[in-house]
């Protein structure tokens, strides 16, 4: 059993992930959020919830991650703020969390990225600044001393989970339910062979577990 | 004599640099600009000028840098555009230039950064997104296989050059004329001991050459 900090636990993927983890009881989950009201709501549901400001200093994030074994980073500034926040949260906030994780002795780091963030040629024109932020956060993570996994989902939907996905180095564009993304993130924590891998993720034909295992065979 | 590409040759620092290099004749200069009118104006002054779009593909930048020995990167999106351009030009444009330089066999890369871009604690509140972009571009450069130098000037002024500066790992905030920054960039191309160094730069008491040599002794 690991102590897992979910950064961005109030996000749409984060909410699914925290709920799944609370239900599964495989690991101890710490839900990390930005606002006190969010923290209170999570605590009322019996979860351990902590506050963090991704625009604050690394030292605060380091304290937050004390005794934590694994981090899932699913925070983002979202579509309603400007690209100043894209730079300060999606990029710098992510990298500060990586630095804090390294400094705190965290072993495992699972990053929610975006389809083909590794490949500038596939960045959608109107989302290029967002992709650039994710791209450089991912590059910093890959160079860290953490056991990283980078999950690059396609267009996110609120459809119900199917439990069926496809993963790969370079998938065609598509969609994937947030609830299924959460299942993949959770499974990455337990599946040997997902460390030091970055992959696209879409709705597909295979069970999550089977998809991640097939990736191991591709390695 | 090296063939030196100045990226951002129409910028305020770039203009000084290109003029100084044309006058000094120590190296062959290629002035790289974004607009045809800028290119034409430079050509009319007897300079070799080329067009480049830092938001375009790496392949185009790679062609541009064919047979080039050194790059000085002094391009920036400037204060009149949004942080989307900060991400796409100051960060991604810089890193694409670094990648193109590596792929083209360029040896030397001198980057114009900003005072204390290496140290989040010193980032001015209203310029944090800009600093973040410079910070990550610098990090990518330091990890490249190029012989890099990162110059981090303080607040830039249009005052006349004094020829006197101070450099250091962590200087107090201050100002420096753009014309003096250009002299430092030019001198970095020739001064052994500036490779693999990043330093703050302000107006000061010592000649440019002497300042850069003193840094070598500090190493």
């Amino acid at each position: 059993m690991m102590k897992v900090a979910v950064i961005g636990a109030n996000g749409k993927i984060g909410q699914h992930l925290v709920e799944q983890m609370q239900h599964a009881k495989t690991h101890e989950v710490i839900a990390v959020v930005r606002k006190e009201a969010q923290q209170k709501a999570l605590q009322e549901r019996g979860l351990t919830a902590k506050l963090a400001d991704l625009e604050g200093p690394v030292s605060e994030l380091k304290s937050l991650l004390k005794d934590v074994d694994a981090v899932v980073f699913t925070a983002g500034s979202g579509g309603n703020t400007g690209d100043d926040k894209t730079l300060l949260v999606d990029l710098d906030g992510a990298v500060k969390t990586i630095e804090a994780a390294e400094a705190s002795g965290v072993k495992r780091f699972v990053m929610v990225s975006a389809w083909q963030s590794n490949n500038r040629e596939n960045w959608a024109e109107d989302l290029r600044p967002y992709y650039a932020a994710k791209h450089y956060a991912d590059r910093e993570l890959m160079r860290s001393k953490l056991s990283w996994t980078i999950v690059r989902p396609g267009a996110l939907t609120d459809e119900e989970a199917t439990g069926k996905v496809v993963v790969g180095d370079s998938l065609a564009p598509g969609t994937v339910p947030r609830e299924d993304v959460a299942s993949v993130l959770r499974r990455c924590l337990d599946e040997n062979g997902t460390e030091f891998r970055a992959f696209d993720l879409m709705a597909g034909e295979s069970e999550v577990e089977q998809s991640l295992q097939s990736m191991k065979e591709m390695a």
Side-chain angles (χ1 to χ4, degrees), chain A residues 108 149 151 184-191 194 199 212:
Chain A
R108 192 84 176 85
T149 302
V151 181
V184 169
L185 297 172
R186 193 160 61 85
R187 194 68 221 167
C188 282
L189 294 169
D190 296 315
E191 196 67 57
T194 58
F199 52 87
L212 294 180

Side-chain angles (χ1 to χ4, degrees), chain A residues 53 56-66 96 99-100 103-104:
Chain A
D53 177 10
V58 174
S59 56
E60 284 182 20
L61 295 169
K62 193 181 155 189
S63 306
L64 176 83
L65 297 180
K66 195 171 171 292
K96 286 190 285 190
E99 291 175 14
S104 304

Side-chain angles (χ1 to χ4, degrees), chain A residues 130-151:
Chain A
Y130 172 73
Y131 273 107
K134 298 302 288 181
H135 178 72
Y136 289 102
D138 291 352
R139 276 166 83 142
E140 294 288 338
L141 178 58
M142 288 187 279
R143 291 191 190 106
S144 75
K145 59 187 180 193
L146 300 161
S147 289
W148 51 266
T149 302
I150 295 170
V151 181

Side-chain angles (χ1 to χ4, degrees), chain A residues 159-199:
Chain A
E159 284 169 36
E160 214 173 311
T162 65
K164 304 286 184 66
V165 298
V166 57
V167 299
D169 287 337
S170 186
L171 297 181
T175 65
V176 57
R178 290 180 171 89
E179 196 176 348
D180 284 322
V181 176
S183 301
V184 169
L185 297 172
R186 193 160 61 85
R187 194 68 221 167
C188 282
L189 294 169
D190 296 315
E191 196 67 57
N192 290 329
T194 58
E195 299 97 334
F196 310 112
R197 299 297 301 261
F199 52 87

Side-chain angles (χ1 to χ4, degrees), chain A residues 2-209:
Chain A
M2 293 192 291
K3 191 182 271 196
V4 181
V6 176
I7 315 290
N10 195 59
K12 286 183 177 180
I13 292 173
Q15 288 182 19
H16 283 298
L17 177 58
V18 163
E19 192 179 316
Q20 289 178 17
M21 291 185 76
Q22 187 181 26
H23 186 255
K25 296 190 177 70
T26 324
H27 298 296
E28 183 184 341
V29 58
I30 300 169
V32 181
V33 293
R34 193 163 51 94
K35 294 178 181 167
E36 279 187 36
Q38 297 163 349
Q39 181 187 30
K40 209 176 157 193
L42 287 158
Q43 286 169 337
E44 281 169 3
R45 283 170 40 206
L47 281 150
T48 304
K50 291 190 179 179
L51 289 176
D53 177 10
L54 293 176
E55 296 185 59
V58 174
S59 56
E60 284 182 20
L61 295 169
K62 193 181 155 189
S63 306
L64 176 83
L65 297 180
K66 195 171 171 292
D67 300 324
V68 163
D69 302 297
V71 166
V72 179
F73 190 93
T74 182
S77 59
N80 297 324
T81 55
D83 283 321
D84 54 336
K85 297 297 182 189
T86 309
L87 269 158
L88 295 179
V89 175
D90 301 77
L91 173 52
D92 201 36
V95 178
K96 286 190 285 190
T97 307
I98 291 163
E99 291 175 14
E102 286 185 300
S104 304
V106 170
K107 298 281 177 299
R108 192 84 176 85
F109 199 110
V110 180
M111 174 74 92
V112 180
S113 186
W115 175 73
Q116 288 290 295
S117 62
N118 56 318
N119 191 352
R120 293 186 186 101
E121 287 169 26
N122 286 332
W123 297 355
E125 194 53 38
D126 56 336
L127 290 175
R128 289 187 75 80
Y130 172 73
Y131 273 107
K134 298 302 288 181
H135 178 72
Y136 289 102
D138 291 352
R139 276 166 83 142
E140 294 288 338
L141 178 58
M142 288 187 279
R143 291 191 190 106
S144 75
K145 59 187 180 193
L146 300 161
S147 289
W148 51 266
T149 302
I150 295 170
V151 181
R152 302 187 305 241
L156 301 165
T157 74
D158 289 325
E159 284 169 36
E160 214 173 311
T162 65
K164 304 286 184 66
V165 298
V166 57
V167 299
D169 287 337
S170 186
L171 297 181
T175 65
V176 57
R178 290 180 171 89
E179 196 176 348
D180 284 322
V181 176
S183 301
V184 169
L185 297 172
R186 193 160 61 85
R187 194 68 221 167
C188 282
L189 294 169
D190 296 315
E191 196 67 57
N192 290 329
T194 58
E195 299 97 334
F196 310 112
R197 299 297 301 261
F199 52 87
D200 290 343
L201 167 67
M202 298 290 168
E205 302 288 320
S206 306
E207 301 287 342
V208 167
E209 193 172 340

